[in-house]
Amino acid sequence: MTGSDSAASGHDRWLYLFIAWIVAVAASLSALFIGEVVGQAPCSLCWHQRAFMFPLAILLAVASYRGDAGAWRYGLPLAVIGMAIAGFHSLLYAGFIPEGIQPCSQGPSCASADMTILGMLPLPYLSLAAFLAIAVALIGSRPKAAS
């Protein structure tokens, strides 16, 4: 392996990390826009998803700036837990979760028609896609094993 191969590999890892950060920032700013500008109150599950997305935006910014090859170790668990919550929320929104175990007892419904943007894009699905994209990018950012 030449030095240029090693440098390209490091650049690719940084690029994946940077992409994960961009997705986390876009998702965080979108959530803030929907809540604060549009005025749509987040449901209980949306709050839980925010609790995992907002820290990712900060952690991945620092990791990208520092070129931290180990960022996947602390970013991936946040993304996977957020993805699990978003997956549950998506199943609830789609009607696959019975009403008896829905977590929303106060505030906006987690499965209401208000959980869309532009009248057709369900927020739970967008959140799931964002967490999935971050997880995939973080997996791509892992250093390659020595062969």
Side-chain angles (χ1 to χ4, degrees):
M1 179 188 280
T2 65
S4 63
D5 291 339
S6 176
S9 171
H11 176 68
D12 289 347
R13 286 194 307 266
W14 179 85
L15 187 58
Y16 279 116
L17 191 56
F18 185 74
I19 290 169
W21 172 66
I22 291 295
V23 172
V25 166
S28 296
L29 291 176
S30 297
L32 289 172
F33 179 81
I34 291 167
E36 302 302 321
V37 176
V38 175
Q40 183 173 331
C43 70
S44 174
L45 288 174
C46 288
W47 277 114
H48 287 86
Q49 290 166 66
R50 287 177 177 201
F52 290 92
M53 187 61 75
F54 291 177
L56 276 169
I58 296 166
L59 290 172
L60 295 174
V62 174
S64 293
Y65 176 74
R66 296 186 64 215
D68 184 358
W72 67 274
R73 287 187 179 98
Y74 50 86
L76 193 56
L78 289 173
V80 168
I81 294 169
M83 190 172 19
I85 297 168
F88 179 82
H89 194 181
S90 295
L91 291 172
L92 179 65
Y93 181 84
F96 292 115
I97 303 289
E99 285 188 36
I101 59 173
Q102 291 185 5
C104 301
S105 58
Q106 298 176 349
S109 169
C110 293
S112 74
D114 292 338
M115 289 290 125
T116 61
I117 190 161
L118 303 174
M120 63 182 167
L121 295 172
L123 294 174
Y125 299 166
L126 293 174
S127 178
L128 180 61
F131 279 116
L132 180 62
I134 292 168
V136 168
L138 287 173
I139 290 169
S141 76
R142 294 181 307 163
K144 306 293 183 257
S147 35

